Amino acid sequence: MNKKSSLMKLKMSTITAFRWYLALTFFIYWTAKIYPGQFSTGDFIFDSTKDSAMQLAWHFFGYSQTYNLFIAFGELTAALLLLIPRTATLGNIIYLPITVNITILNYCFGIPALGISSVLTLMSISLLLFEYKKLRMIFLANPVIGKESIQPKKIKKQVNIN
């Protein structure tokens, strides 16, 4: 086995492992939001002198069941798309903003899952970097516009009256 082949196998194995790990993590996040519910629901009183910023965030996100389901749906969609090789890039494009948002929330509100969310964000960015050529062709490549444009043919209709 040559060096180039070994590196390609390592790259593909890394991409597959990252995709499956990211998908599994979002399946867990999705499950936590649906059953039994990750966030606090119902009436609450927040005392800023006693309660933590994390408790405030959990009460805030638990206030709206619709928002909770929206986030869960995004996580489930990204996870499912990551599992299918043809849709993995799209799944990662959906995944990245969600995980960046989670990481920022964890940082700003002192949520202890900062480490894992940072790893998920870095893995997602890594997957996008592995797909750089494909993404560049989709988003950054300028289409070649020919100098000649196609002109419709003018058809002259001739009417013969006998």
Side-chain angles (χ1 to χ4, degrees), residues 43-149:
D43 294 334
F44 67 94
I45 296 173
F46 180 76
D47 183 357
S48 62
T49 60
K50 295 178 185 173
D51 296 334
S52 69
M54 179 179 161
Q55 287 174 308
L56 175 62
W58 254 230
H59 286 303
F60 175 77
F61 287 118
Y63 182 78
S64 171
Q65 183 64 21
T66 303
Y67 182 75
N68 202 4
L69 292 174
F70 174 75
I71 294 299
F73 178 75
E75 291 170 349
L76 178 64
T77 301
L80 290 173
L81 290 172
L82 275 168
L83 292 177
I84 304 167
R86 284 182 173 242
T87 61
T89 304
L90 176 60
N92 194 31
I93 289 171
I94 294 169
Y95 197 100
L96 183 61
I98 296 171
T99 194
V100 166
N101 185 46
I102 292 168
T103 302
I104 291 171
L105 285 169
N106 290 348
Y107 178 76
C108 293
F109 289 92
I111 299 170
L114 180 60
I116 186 66
S117 63
S118 299
V119 169
L120 295 175
T121 300
L122 291 174
M123 289 173 78
S124 182
I125 290 169
S126 297
L127 283 178
L128 287 178
L129 290 175
F130 281 131
E131 301 287 346
Y132 174 75
K133 289 180 182 177
K134 181 193 304 185
L135 294 171
R136 191 181 79 203
M137 292 297 293
I138 294 170
F139 294 112
L140 300 177
N142 294 327
V144 178
I145 300 174
K147 293 180 182 178
E148 299 176 6
S149 62

Side-chain angles (χ1 to χ4, degrees), residues 4-16:
K4 188 174 183 178
S5 175
S6 297
L7 288 176
M8 183 56 77
K9 286 183 181 183
L10 177 63
K11 177 183 173 184
M12 296 309 294
S13 297
T14 302
I15 289 171
T16 302

